[in-house]
Amino acid sequence: MSIRQLLNDERTDLIALLHELSEAEWEAASLCEGWRVRDVVGHLLYDEISPLGYARIAVSRRLATDRINADLVERTRRLSTAQLLQRFENSGQRITRLLPHVGLADMLVHHQDIRRPLGRARTIPASRSTAVLDHPDPFASPRRYTRGLRFAATDLDWSSGAGPEVRGPAEALILAVVGRPIALDELTGDGVPILRQRYGV
């Protein structure tokens, strides 16, 4: 299956979830610090911006990812949840279709950023998990967490790296390598104390 098809399938599943959410769930905190569920969706509306338009925003914020993301969320704060969903459904995938590996990694992690705090567990298809483990979102600086460690999934035939081992479910590994400490308690192995030290916990 192509990476673009995996991205499209992940996007479809996220849209289906968003249609199910109550207004209270839209306002609930996500795993992204300081962001509600609605803010995560607002961030994902970067996909309705042209690549040139996104580049202009990035340059105006001196390529600082946090500042770029804050600006993108601020642009959507006055939208209703219905407007957010409608715009996300029709965003045109103007960025992610050009960078499908990055788009899939970003969308899958943000999907879990929404699901986990709401207690809406799911089984992520193995093909998507493997693709994201092989190509984590580079903008999340995964090397700061993965360097010198071996990561191994306990529910997939997947491993990567060399050094003290970090083992756990694929979803927990995906979250752990992009800065989500909520997954640390689900991991085992000699590399976990090193990973915790990198998180400062």
Side-chain angles (χ1 to χ4, degrees), residues 91-112:
S91 63
Q93 296 180 267
R94 302 182 73 183
I95 301 294
T96 55
R97 66 184 170 82
L98 299 177
L99 300 166
H101 276 294
V102 177
L104 174 61
D106 190 50
M107 187 144 336
L108 189 146
V109 168
H110 283 317
H111 194 160
Q112 299 311 112

Side-chain angles (χ1 to χ4, degrees), residues 116 167 169 172 176 180-188 192 196 201:
R116 278 217 172 202
R167 297 185 302 275
R180 304 303 194 269
I182 194 171
L184 293 177
D185 288 341
E186 299 168 35
L187 304 176
T188 60
V192 174
R196 286 186 174 278
V201 297

Side-chain angles (χ1 to χ4, degrees), residues 137-198:
D137 182 358
F139 294 104
S141 302
R143 280 287 299 163
R144 83 170 86 167
Y145 305 110
T146 62
R147 68 186 187 280
L149 298 175
R150 180 178 187 271
F151 287 77
T154 54
D155 54 351
L156 294 177
D157 182 16
W158 181 90
S159 63
S160 181
E165 191 170 72
V166 177
R167 297 185 302 275
E171 188 236 7
L173 295 179
I174 288 168
L175 295 178
V177 303
V178 293
R180 304 303 194 269
I182 194 171
L184 293 177
D185 288 341
E186 299 168 35
L187 304 176
T188 60
D190 294 340
V192 174
I194 299 171
L195 189 57
R196 286 186 174 278
Q197 187 175 42
R198 292 173 182 175

